[in-house]
Amino acid sequence: MDASEYGDLESLSLDALAPRERILKIASELFYRNSVHTVGIDRIIAESGVAKMTFYKHFPSKANLVATYLRHKSALWFDMLATATEQAGPVPLDRVLAVFDALNESFRAPTFRGCPFVRGLAEFGPDAETPEVQATLAAYFQDLHDFVVSLIHPLKLKNQGSVVVQILALIQGSLVNAQAMRGGVETLATRDAAKMLIEAAVERG
């Protein structure tokens, strides 16, 4: 999934966007800054400057808008990770650690409000009647798992599955810690933990 699928929402002003992108830009800002359940459709319509009919033409329900918002966030996230790991060069360990460097940078941004997917799990639990949202959340976590597998695989570890689970736990733990503690220092410790974990696994591999 490519972030360009959703238009240049991050850099363009609201006036420069088509109605669908205006709606998505406002919804993304409000959902992420506040929460999905506290932001109503009427507020999104008012702040995006579109007619209600236009809104429902592009997004037949709030659940559909939420799922689109999450797919947009997922595309941005994986674009960031792909850029970071590519810039790290060909050494597999460096590519894994680049994930934590990228996280540390994002945690320092004043707009950081935690992981939208972890927050989404809390807002859309197993009893929620929003299958599109839940499927989008499930797809994100599967994509993150597959991405980590792609980074770990070149290391040729015998216990690859276990290392993947542990790296995922470090990533998710750093996301939650950064939201709770509002800083990037703890992420550097998590990066060190990932490095020690992999180096130990290489020695056993």
PDB file of all heavy atoms in Angstrom, residues 85-125:
ATOM      1  N   THR A  85      14.656   1.797   6.542  1.00  0.00           N
ATOM      2  CA  THR A  85      15.425   0.562   6.407  1.00  0.00           C
ATOM      3  C   THR A  85      16.251   0.557   5.117  1.00  0.00           C
ATOM      4  O   THR A  85      17.364   0.015   5.091  1.00  0.00           O
ATOM      5  CB  THR A  85      14.501  -0.670   6.440  1.00  0.00           C
ATOM      6  OG1 THR A  85      13.440  -0.518   5.479  1.00  0.00           O
ATOM      7  CG2 THR A  85      13.885  -0.831   7.826  1.00  0.00           C
ATOM      8  N   GLU A  86      15.735   1.184   4.070  1.00  0.00           N
ATOM      9  CA  GLU A  86      16.509   1.275   2.830  1.00  0.00           C
ATOM     10  C   GLU A  86      17.733   2.168   3.028  1.00  0.00           C
ATOM     11  O   GLU A  86      18.830   1.860   2.537  1.00  0.00           O
ATOM     12  CB  GLU A  86      15.629   1.816   1.707  1.00  0.00           C
ATOM     13  CG  GLU A  86      14.605   0.800   1.201  1.00  0.00           C
ATOM     14  CD  GLU A  86      13.550   1.440   0.314  1.00  0.00           C
ATOM     15  OE1 GLU A  86      13.719   2.632  -0.045  1.00  0.00           O
ATOM     16  OE2 GLU A  86      12.564   0.753  -0.018  1.00  0.00           O
ATOM     17  N   GLN A  87      17.558   3.266   3.743  1.00  0.00           N
ATOM     18  CA  GLN A  87      18.678   4.181   3.979  1.00  0.00           C
ATOM     19  C   GLN A  87      19.730   3.569   4.891  1.00  0.00           C
ATOM     20  O   GLN A  87      20.888   4.008   4.886  1.00  0.00           O
ATOM     21  CB  GLN A  87      18.157   5.482   4.574  1.00  0.00           C
ATOM     22  CG  GLN A  87      17.351   6.327   3.599  1.00  0.00           C
ATOM     23  CD  GLN A  87      16.790   7.589   4.222  1.00  0.00           C
ATOM     24  OE1 GLN A  87      16.745   7.730   5.447  1.00  0.00           O
ATOM     25  NE2 GLN A  87      16.344   8.520   3.390  1.00  0.00           N
ATOM     26  N   ALA A  88      19.350   2.567   5.676  1.00  0.00           N
ATOM     27  CA  ALA A  88      20.302   1.929   6.591  1.00  0.00           C
ATOM     28  C   ALA A  88      21.328   1.092   5.864  1.00  0.00           C
ATOM     29  O   ALA A  88      22.368   0.732   6.431  1.00  0.00           O
ATOM     30  CB  ALA A  88      19.544   1.059   7.595  1.00  0.00           C
ATOM     31  N   GLY A  89      21.056   0.743   4.602  1.00  0.00           N
ATOM     32  CA  GLY A  89      22.020  -0.039   3.834  1.00  0.00           C
ATOM     33  C   GLY A  89      21.711  -1.522   3.841  1.00  0.00           C
ATOM     34  O   GLY A  89      20.661  -1.951   4.313  1.00  0.00           O
ATOM     35  N   PRO A  90      22.642  -2.337   3.358  1.00  0.00           N
ATOM     36  CA  PRO A  90      22.371  -3.762   3.152  1.00  0.00           C
ATOM     37  C   PRO A  90      22.556  -4.662   4.371  1.00  0.00           C
ATOM     38  O   PRO A  90      22.164  -5.831   4.329  1.00  0.00           O
ATOM     39  CB  PRO A  90      23.361  -4.138   2.053  1.00  0.00           C
ATOM     40  CG  PRO A  90      24.537  -3.239   2.323  1.00  0.00           C
ATOM     41  CD  PRO A  90      23.955  -1.948   2.805  1.00  0.00           C
ATOM     42  N   VAL A  91      23.183  -4.158   5.436  1.00  0.00           N
ATOM     43  CA  VAL A  91      23.459  -5.014   6.597  1.00  0.00           C
ATOM     44  C   VAL A  91      22.150  -5.296   7.344  1.00  0.00           C
ATOM     45  O   VAL A  91      21.490  -4.356   7.816  1.00  0.00           O
ATOM     46  CB  VAL A  91      24.478  -4.351   7.548  1.00  0.00           C
ATOM     47  CG1 VAL A  91      24.724  -5.237   8.763  1.00  0.00           C
ATOM     48  CG2 VAL A  91      25.778  -4.067   6.802  1.00  0.00           C
ATOM     49  N   PRO A  92      21.747  -6.566   7.474  1.00  0.00           N
ATOM     50  CA  PRO A  92      20.444  -6.894   8.070  1.00  0.00           C
ATOM     51  C   PRO A  92      20.230  -6.320   9.466  1.00  0.00           C
ATOM     52  O   PRO A  92      19.147  -5.811   9.769  1.00  0.00           O
ATOM     53  CB  PRO A  92      20.434  -8.425   8.077  1.00  0.00           C
ATOM     54  CG  PRO A  92      21.325  -8.811   6.935  1.00  0.00           C
ATOM     55  CD  PRO A  92      22.403  -7.778   6.928  1.00  0.00           C
ATOM     56  N   LEU A  93      21.233  -6.398  10.334  1.00  0.00           N
ATOM     57  CA  LEU A  93      21.077  -5.869  11.689  1.00  0.00           C
ATOM     58  C   LEU A  93      20.822  -4.367  11.658  1.00  0.00           C
ATOM     59  O   LEU A  93      19.961  -3.856  12.380  1.00  0.00           O
ATOM     60  CB  LEU A  93      22.311  -6.176  12.534  1.00  0.00           C
ATOM     61  CG  LEU A  93      22.291  -5.608  13.967  1.00  0.00           C
ATOM     62  CD1 LEU A  93      21.099  -6.118  14.756  1.00  0.00           C
ATOM     63  CD2 LEU A  93      23.598  -5.935  14.683  1.00  0.00           C
ATOM     64  N   ASP A  94      21.549  -3.659  10.823  1.00  0.00           N
ATOM     65  CA  ASP A  94      21.357  -2.211  10.719  1.00  0.00           C
ATOM     66  C   ASP A  94      19.941  -1.878  10.262  1.00  0.00           C
ATOM     67  O   ASP A  94      19.350  -0.888  10.709  1.00  0.00           O
ATOM     68  CB  ASP A  94      22.361  -1.605   9.731  1.00  0.00           C
ATOM     69  CG  ASP A  94      23.791  -1.652  10.240  1.00  0.00           C
ATOM     70  OD1 ASP A  94      23.975  -1.873  11.462  1.00  0.00           O
ATOM     71  OD2 ASP A  94      24.725  -1.481   9.426  1.00  0.00           O
ATOM     72  N   ARG A  95      19.400  -2.703   9.387  1.00  0.00           N
ATOM     73  CA  ARG A  95      18.049  -2.462   8.879  1.00  0.00           C
ATOM     74  C   ARG A  95      17.002  -2.651   9.977  1.00  0.00           C
ATOM     75  O   ARG A  95      16.045  -1.890  10.073  1.00  0.00           O
ATOM     76  CB  ARG A  95      17.759  -3.377   7.690  1.00  0.00           C
ATOM     77  CG  ARG A  95      18.571  -3.011   6.454  1.00  0.00           C
ATOM     78  CD  ARG A  95      18.456  -4.063   5.354  1.00  0.00           C
ATOM     79  NE  ARG A  95      17.101  -4.193   4.857  1.00  0.00           N
ATOM     80  CZ  ARG A  95      16.550  -3.410   3.939  1.00  0.00           C
ATOM     81  NH1 ARG A  95      17.259  -2.418   3.408  1.00  0.00           N
ATOM     82  NH2 ARG A  95      15.320  -3.600   3.522  1.00  0.00           N
ATOM     83  N   VAL A  96      17.204  -3.647  10.822  1.00  0.00           N
ATOM     84  CA  VAL A  96      16.284  -3.847  11.945  1.00  0.00           C
ATOM     85  C   VAL A  96      16.366  -2.660  12.908  1.00  0.00           C
ATOM     86  O   VAL A  96      15.337  -2.110  13.334  1.00  0.00           O
ATOM     87  CB  VAL A  96      16.598  -5.159  12.692  1.00  0.00           C
ATOM     88  CG1 VAL A  96      15.701  -5.293  13.933  1.00  0.00           C
ATOM     89  CG2 VAL A  96      16.399  -6.362  11.782  1.00  0.00           C
ATOM     90  N   LEU A  97      17.579  -2.266  13.244  1.00  0.00           N
ATOM     91  CA  LEU A  97      17.749  -1.176  14.203  1.00  0.00           C
ATOM     92  C   LEU A  97      17.250   0.161  13.650  1.00  0.00           C
ATOM     93  O   LEU A  97      16.851   1.045  14.415  1.00  0.00           O
ATOM     94  CB  LEU A  97      19.224  -1.063  14.606  1.00  0.00           C
ATOM     95  CG  LEU A  97      19.800  -2.296  15.312  1.00  0.00           C
ATOM     96  CD1 LEU A  97      21.259  -2.067  15.672  1.00  0.00           C
ATOM     97  CD2 LEU A  97      18.995  -2.663  16.554  1.00  0.00           C
ATOM     98  N   ALA A  98      17.240   0.290  12.330  1.00  0.00           N
ATOM     99  CA  ALA A  98      16.730   1.514  11.711  1.00  0.00           C
ATOM    100  C   ALA A  98      15.255   1.727  12.036  1.00  0.00           C
ATOM    101  O   ALA A  98      14.782   2.871  12.055  1.00  0.00           O
ATOM    102  CB  ALA A  98      16.939   1.468  10.204  1.00  0.00           C
ATOM    103  N   VAL A  99      14.527   0.647  12.280  1.00  0.00           N
ATOM    104  CA  VAL A  99      13.118   0.771  12.675  1.00  0.00           C
ATOM    105  C   VAL A  99      13.014   1.559  13.975  1.00  0.00           C
ATOM    106  O   VAL A  99      12.182   2.470  14.117  1.00  0.00           O
ATOM    107  CB  VAL A  99      12.472  -0.620  12.838  1.00  0.00           C
ATOM    108  CG1 VAL A  99      11.082  -0.499  13.466  1.00  0.00           C
ATOM    109  CG2 VAL A  99      12.390  -1.325  11.487  1.00  0.00           C
ATOM    110  N   PHE A 100      13.874   1.255  14.923  1.00  0.00           N
ATOM    111  CA  PHE A 100      13.831   1.926  16.221  1.00  0.00           C
ATOM    112  C   PHE A 100      14.337   3.362  16.124  1.00  0.00           C
ATOM    113  O   PHE A 100      13.855   4.239  16.846  1.00  0.00           O
ATOM    114  CB  PHE A 100      14.610   1.105  17.249  1.00  0.00           C
ATOM    115  CG  PHE A 100      13.988  -0.229  17.507  1.00  0.00           C
ATOM    116  CD1 PHE A 100      14.379  -1.347  16.794  1.00  0.00           C
ATOM    117  CD2 PHE A 100      12.959  -0.357  18.435  1.00  0.00           C
ATOM    118  CE1 PHE A 100      13.783  -2.581  17.010  1.00  0.00           C
ATOM    119  CE2 PHE A 100      12.356  -1.584  18.669  1.00  0.00           C
ATOM    120  CZ  PHE A 100      12.758  -2.704  17.948  1.00  0.00           C
ATOM    121  N   ASP A 101      15.284   3.606  15.217  1.00  0.00           N
ATOM    122  CA  ASP A 101      15.725   4.984  14.986  1.00  0.00           C
ATOM    123  C   ASP A 101      14.575   5.817  14.418  1.00  0.00           C
ATOM    124  O   ASP A 101      14.376   6.971  14.822  1.00  0.00           O
ATOM    125  CB  ASP A 101      16.909   4.997  14.017  1.00  0.00           C
ATOM    126  CG  ASP A 101      18.162   4.369  14.613  1.00  0.00           C
ATOM    127  OD1 ASP A 101      18.303   4.404  15.846  1.00  0.00           O
ATOM    128  OD2 ASP A 101      18.979   3.838  13.829  1.00  0.00           O
ATOM    129  N   ALA A 102      13.825   5.227  13.484  1.00  0.00           N
ATOM    130  CA  ALA A 102      12.688   5.934  12.895  1.00  0.00           C
ATOM    131  C   ALA A 102      11.599   6.188  13.932  1.00  0.00           C
ATOM    132  O   ALA A 102      10.990   7.263  13.970  1.00  0.00           O
ATOM    133  CB  ALA A 102      12.128   5.127  11.723  1.00  0.00           C
ATOM    134  N   LEU A 103      11.375   5.207  14.787  1.00  0.00           N
ATOM    135  CA  LEU A 103      10.404   5.384  15.864  1.00  0.00           C
ATOM    136  C   LEU A 103      10.819   6.532  16.777  1.00  0.00           C
ATOM    137  O   LEU A 103       9.999   7.374  17.149  1.00  0.00           O
ATOM    138  CB  LEU A 103      10.277   4.092  16.685  1.00  0.00           C
ATOM    139  CG  LEU A 103       9.493   2.945  16.053  1.00  0.00           C
ATOM    140  CD1 LEU A 103       9.660   1.687  16.898  1.00  0.00           C
ATOM    141  CD2 LEU A 103       8.028   3.292  15.916  1.00  0.00           C
ATOM    142  N   ASN A 104      12.091   6.558  17.123  1.00  0.00           N
ATOM    143  CA  ASN A 104      12.574   7.594  18.024  1.00  0.00           C
ATOM    144  C   ASN A 104      12.338   8.984  17.447  1.00  0.00           C
ATOM    145  O   ASN A 104      11.944   9.909  18.166  1.00  0.00           O
ATOM    146  CB  ASN A 104      14.064   7.383  18.299  1.00  0.00           C
ATOM    147  CG  ASN A 104      14.586   8.287  19.388  1.00  0.00           C
ATOM    148  OD1 ASN A 104      14.049   8.324  20.484  1.00  0.00           O
ATOM    149  ND2 ASN A 104      15.640   9.027  19.089  1.00  0.00           N
ATOM    150  N   GLU A 105      12.546   9.129  16.151  1.00  0.00           N
ATOM    151  CA  GLU A 105      12.310  10.421  15.497  1.00  0.00           C
ATOM    152  C   GLU A 105      10.830  10.790  15.549  1.00  0.00           C
ATOM    153  O   GLU A 105      10.471  11.934  15.839  1.00  0.00           O
ATOM    154  CB  GLU A 105      12.796  10.372  14.041  1.00  0.00           C
ATOM    155  CG  GLU A 105      14.298  10.395  13.881  1.00  0.00           C
ATOM    156  CD  GLU A 105      14.924  11.656  14.461  1.00  0.00           C
ATOM    157  OE1 GLU A 105      14.393  12.761  14.212  1.00  0.00           O
ATOM    158  OE2 GLU A 105      15.931  11.542  15.184  1.00  0.00           O
ATOM    159  N   SER A 106       9.967   9.825  15.256  1.00  0.00           N
ATOM    160  CA  SER A 106       8.532  10.128  15.236  1.00  0.00           C
ATOM    161  C   SER A 106       8.011  10.441  16.636  1.00  0.00           C
ATOM    162  O   SER A 106       7.109  11.273  16.796  1.00  0.00           O
ATOM    163  CB  SER A 106       7.748   8.955  14.633  1.00  0.00           C
ATOM    164  OG  SER A 106       7.820   7.801  15.458  1.00  0.00           O
ATOM    165  N   PHE A 107       8.578   9.814  17.652  1.00  0.00           N
ATOM    166  CA  PHE A 107       8.121  10.054  19.022  1.00  0.00           C
ATOM    167  C   PHE A 107       8.430  11.482  19.485  1.00  0.00           C
ATOM    168  O   PHE A 107       7.748  12.006  20.366  1.00  0.00           O
ATOM    169  CB  PHE A 107       8.778   9.075  19.990  1.00  0.00           C
ATOM    170  CG  PHE A 107       8.372   7.631  19.779  1.00  0.00           C
ATOM    171  CD1 PHE A 107       9.117   6.602  20.327  1.00  0.00           C
ATOM    172  CD2 PHE A 107       7.260   7.308  19.029  1.00  0.00           C
ATOM    173  CE1 PHE A 107       8.751   5.276  20.143  1.00  0.00           C
ATOM    174  CE2 PHE A 107       6.890   5.992  18.821  1.00  0.00           C
ATOM    175  CZ  PHE A 107       7.636   4.968  19.387  1.00  0.00           C
ATOM    176  N   ARG A 108       9.440  12.088  18.907  1.00  0.00           N
ATOM    177  CA  ARG A 108       9.833  13.435  19.308  1.00  0.00           C
ATOM    178  C   ARG A 108       8.976  14.525  18.654  1.00  0.00           C
ATOM    179  O   ARG A 108       9.062  15.689  19.037  1.00  0.00           O
ATOM    180  CB  ARG A 108      11.311  13.662  18.993  1.00  0.00           C
ATOM    181  CG  ARG A 108      12.246  12.795  19.833  1.00  0.00           C
ATOM    182  CD  ARG A 108      13.709  13.079  19.517  1.00  0.00           C
ATOM    183  NE  ARG A 108      14.596  12.217  20.286  1.00  0.00           N
ATOM    184  CZ  ARG A 108      14.964  12.422  21.545  1.00  0.00           C
ATOM    185  NH1 ARG A 108      14.499  13.482  22.196  1.00  0.00           N
ATOM    186  NH2 ARG A 108      15.779  11.588  22.164  1.00  0.00           N
ATOM    187  N   ALA A 109       8.171  14.145  17.689  1.00  0.00           N
ATOM    188  CA  ALA A 109       7.318  15.128  17.017  1.00  0.00           C
ATOM    189  C   ALA A 109       6.238  15.628  17.986  1.00  0.00           C
ATOM    190  O   ALA A 109       5.647  14.836  18.722  1.00  0.00           O
ATOM    191  CB  ALA A 109       6.657  14.501  15.795  1.00  0.00           C
ATOM    192  N   PRO A 110       5.984  16.930  18.012  1.00  0.00           N
ATOM    193  CA  PRO A 110       4.971  17.470  18.931  1.00  0.00           C
ATOM    194  C   PRO A 110       3.564  16.957  18.648  1.00  0.00           C
ATOM    195  O   PRO A 110       2.698  17.016  19.519  1.00  0.00           O
ATOM    196  CB  PRO A 110       5.062  18.989  18.707  1.00  0.00           C
ATOM    197  CG  PRO A 110       5.724  19.153  17.377  1.00  0.00           C
ATOM    198  CD  PRO A 110       6.643  17.982  17.222  1.00  0.00           C
ATOM    199  N   THR A 111       3.351  16.439  17.441  1.00  0.00           N
ATOM    200  CA  THR A 111       2.021  15.928  17.084  1.00  0.00           C
ATOM    201  C   THR A 111       1.820  14.465  17.471  1.00  0.00           C
ATOM    202  O   THR A 111       0.729  13.923  17.278  1.00  0.00           O
ATOM    203  CB  THR A 111       1.799  16.060  15.568  1.00  0.00           C
ATOM    204  OG1 THR A 111       2.874  15.405  14.876  1.00  0.00           O
ATOM    205  CG2 THR A 111       1.738  17.526  15.152  1.00  0.00           C
ATOM    206  N   PHE A 112       2.853  13.814  18.028  1.00  0.00           N
ATOM    207  CA  PHE A 112       2.734  12.393  18.348  1.00  0.00           C
ATOM    208  C   PHE A 112       1.700  12.168  19.446  1.00  0.00           C
ATOM    209  O   PHE A 112       1.746  12.784  20.501  1.00  0.00           O
ATOM    210  CB  PHE A 112       4.087  11.832  18.799  1.00  0.00           C
ATOM    211  CG  PHE A 112       4.029  10.373  19.183  1.00  0.00           C
ATOM    212  CD1 PHE A 112       3.912   9.400  18.209  1.00  0.00           C
ATOM    213  CD2 PHE A 112       4.070   9.992  20.513  1.00  0.00           C
ATOM    214  CE1 PHE A 112       3.838   8.055  18.560  1.00  0.00           C
ATOM    215  CE2 PHE A 112       4.000   8.661  20.875  1.00  0.00           C
ATOM    216  CZ  PHE A 112       3.887   7.691  19.892  1.00  0.00           C
ATOM    217  N   ARG A 113       0.755  11.271  19.176  1.00  0.00           N
ATOM    218  CA  ARG A 113      -0.305  10.938  20.132  1.00  0.00           C
ATOM    219  C   ARG A 113      -0.459   9.432  20.319  1.00  0.00           C
ATOM    220  O   ARG A 113      -1.535   8.955  20.658  1.00  0.00           O
ATOM    221  CB  ARG A 113      -1.647  11.523  19.663  1.00  0.00           C
ATOM    222  CG  ARG A 113      -1.711  13.049  19.601  1.00  0.00           C
ATOM    223  CD  ARG A 113      -1.660  13.668  20.987  1.00  0.00           C
ATOM    224  NE  ARG A 113      -1.830  15.107  20.936  1.00  0.00           N
ATOM    225  CZ  ARG A 113      -0.864  15.983  20.694  1.00  0.00           C
ATOM    226  NH1 ARG A 113       0.375  15.539  20.476  1.00  0.00           N
ATOM    227  NH2 ARG A 113      -1.096  17.284  20.662  1.00  0.00           N
ATOM    228  N   GLY A 114       0.602   8.695  20.059  1.00  0.00           N
ATOM    229  CA  GLY A 114       0.525   7.256  20.230  1.00  0.00           C
ATOM    230  C   GLY A 114       0.266   6.533  18.918  1.00  0.00           C
ATOM    231  O   GLY A 114       0.257   7.116  17.839  1.00  0.00           O
ATOM    232  N   CYS A 115       0.050   5.251  19.032  1.00  0.00           N
ATOM    233  CA  CYS A 115      -0.170   4.403  17.864  1.00  0.00           C
ATOM    234  C   CYS A 115      -1.667   4.347  17.548  1.00  0.00           C
ATOM    235  O   CYS A 115      -2.459   3.883  18.383  1.00  0.00           O
ATOM    236  CB  CYS A 115       0.360   2.997  18.130  1.00  0.00           C
ATOM    237  SG  CYS A 115      -0.026   1.823  16.811  1.00  0.00           S
ATOM    238  N   PRO A 116      -2.087   4.784  16.366  1.00  0.00           N
ATOM    239  CA  PRO A 116      -3.518   4.756  16.055  1.00  0.00           C
ATOM    240  C   PRO A 116      -4.090   3.353  15.993  1.00  0.00           C
ATOM    241  O   PRO A 116      -5.302   3.162  16.184  1.00  0.00           O
ATOM    242  CB  PRO A 116      -3.589   5.444  14.680  1.00  0.00           C
ATOM    243  CG  PRO A 116      -2.227   5.305  14.102  1.00  0.00           C
ATOM    244  CD  PRO A 116      -1.286   5.346  15.269  1.00  0.00           C
ATOM    245  N   PHE A 117      -3.238   2.358  15.778  1.00  0.00           N
ATOM    246  CA  PHE A 117      -3.729   0.988  15.659  1.00  0.00           C
ATOM    247  C   PHE A 117      -3.929   0.346  17.034  1.00  0.00           C
ATOM    248  O   PHE A 117      -4.897  -0.384  17.247  1.00  0.00           O
ATOM    249  CB  PHE A 117      -2.774   0.180  14.788  1.00  0.00           C
ATOM    250  CG  PHE A 117      -2.496   0.867  13.483  1.00  0.00           C
ATOM    251  CD1 PHE A 117      -1.331   1.600  13.301  1.00  0.00           C
ATOM    252  CD2 PHE A 117      -3.424   0.846  12.462  1.00  0.00           C
ATOM    253  CE1 PHE A 117      -1.085   2.276  12.122  1.00  0.00           C
ATOM    254  CE2 PHE A 117      -3.193   1.518  11.278  1.00  0.00           C
ATOM    255  CZ  PHE A 117      -2.028   2.238  11.104  1.00  0.00           C
ATOM    256  N   VAL A 118      -3.034   0.637  17.955  1.00  0.00           N
ATOM    257  CA  VAL A 118      -3.242   0.187  19.334  1.00  0.00           C
ATOM    258  C   VAL A 118      -4.475   0.872  19.917  1.00  0.00           C
ATOM    259  O   VAL A 118      -5.309   0.237  20.573  1.00  0.00           O
ATOM    260  CB  VAL A 118      -1.995   0.487  20.194  1.00  0.00           C
ATOM    261  CG1 VAL A 118      -2.275   0.200  21.666  1.00  0.00           C
ATOM    262  CG2 VAL A 118      -0.805  -0.342  19.715  1.00  0.00           C
ATOM    263  N   ARG A 119      -4.619   2.157  19.649  1.00  0.00           N
ATOM    264  CA  ARG A 119      -5.800   2.884  20.105  1.00  0.00           C
ATOM    265  C   ARG A 119      -7.046   2.337  19.433  1.00  0.00           C
ATOM    266  O   ARG A 119      -8.116   2.230  20.049  1.00  0.00           O
ATOM    267  CB  ARG A 119      -5.638   4.377  19.816  1.00  0.00           C
ATOM    268  CG  ARG A 119      -4.572   5.034  20.675  1.00  0.00           C
ATOM    269  CD  ARG A 119      -4.216   6.427  20.200  1.00  0.00           C
ATOM    270  NE  ARG A 119      -5.358   7.322  20.171  1.00  0.00           N
ATOM    271  CZ  ARG A 119      -5.289   8.576  19.755  1.00  0.00           C
ATOM    272  NH1 ARG A 119      -4.144   9.074  19.331  1.00  0.00           N
ATOM    273  NH2 ARG A 119      -6.356   9.341  19.760  1.00  0.00           N
ATOM    274  N   GLY A 120      -6.908   1.959  18.167  1.00  0.00           N
ATOM    275  CA  GLY A 120      -8.040   1.389  17.445  1.00  0.00           C
ATOM    276  C   GLY A 120      -8.503   0.070  18.039  1.00  0.00           C
ATOM    277  O   GLY A 120      -9.707  -0.211  18.104  1.00  0.00           O
ATOM    278  N   LEU A 121      -7.564  -0.742  18.494  1.00  0.00           N
ATOM    279  CA  LEU A 121      -7.935  -2.003  19.142  1.00  0.00           C
ATOM    280  C   LEU A 121      -8.774  -1.753  20.390  1.00  0.00           C
ATOM    281  O   LEU A 121      -9.697  -2.507  20.693  1.00  0.00           O
ATOM    282  CB  LEU A 121      -6.674  -2.795  19.520  1.00  0.00           C
ATOM    283  CG  LEU A 121      -5.894  -3.447  18.392  1.00  0.00           C
ATOM    284  CD1 LEU A 121      -4.639  -4.108  18.947  1.00  0.00           C
ATOM    285  CD2 LEU A 121      -6.740  -4.467  17.646  1.00  0.00           C
ATOM    286  N   ALA A 122      -8.426  -0.689  21.119  1.00  0.00           N
ATOM    287  CA  ALA A 122      -9.173  -0.363  22.337  1.00  0.00           C
ATOM    288  C   ALA A 122     -10.574   0.151  22.007  1.00  0.00           C
ATOM    289  O   ALA A 122     -11.533  -0.138  22.731  1.00  0.00           O
ATOM    290  CB  ALA A 122      -8.409   0.683  23.143  1.00  0.00           C
ATOM    291  N   GLU A 123     -10.695   0.904  20.904  1.00  0.00           N
ATOM    292  CA  GLU A 123     -11.985   1.490  20.553  1.00  0.00           C
ATOM    293  C   GLU A 123     -12.881   0.540  19.770  1.00  0.00           C
ATOM    294  O   GLU A 123     -14.108   0.685  19.771  1.00  0.00           O
ATOM    295  CB  GLU A 123     -11.775   2.771  19.753  1.00  0.00           C
ATOM    296  CG  GLU A 123     -11.162   3.905  20.554  1.00  0.00           C
ATOM    297  CD  GLU A 123     -11.312   5.248  19.851  1.00  0.00           C
ATOM    298  OE1 GLU A 123     -12.374   5.870  19.988  1.00  0.00           O
ATOM    299  OE2 GLU A 123     -10.361   5.643  19.163  1.00  0.00           O
ATOM    300  N   PHE A 124     -12.270  -0.422  19.097  1.00  0.00           N
ATOM    301  CA  PHE A 124     -13.043  -1.349  18.270  1.00  0.00           C
ATOM    302  C   PHE A 124     -12.672  -2.775  18.651  1.00  0.00           C
ATOM    303  O   PHE A 124     -11.937  -3.462  17.945  1.00  0.00           O
ATOM    304  CB  PHE A 124     -12.779  -1.090  16.784  1.00  0.00           C
ATOM    305  CG  PHE A 124     -13.240   0.269  16.331  1.00  0.00           C
ATOM    306  CD1 PHE A 124     -12.373   1.351  16.371  1.00  0.00           C
ATOM    307  CD2 PHE A 124     -14.536   0.467  15.904  1.00  0.00           C
ATOM    308  CE1 PHE A 124     -12.788   2.607  15.961  1.00  0.00           C
ATOM    309  CE2 PHE A 124     -14.963   1.722  15.497  1.00  0.00           C
ATOM    310  CZ  PHE A 124     -14.090   2.801  15.536  1.00  0.00           C
ATOM    311  N   GLY A 125     -13.180  -3.209  19.792  1.00  0.00           N
ATOM    312  CA  GLY A 125     -12.914  -4.540  20.303  1.00  0.00           C
ATOM    313  C   GLY A 125     -13.676  -5.611  19.541  1.00  0.00           C
ATOM    314  O   GLY A 125     -14.388  -5.329  18.572  1.00  0.00           O
TER     315      GLY A 125
END
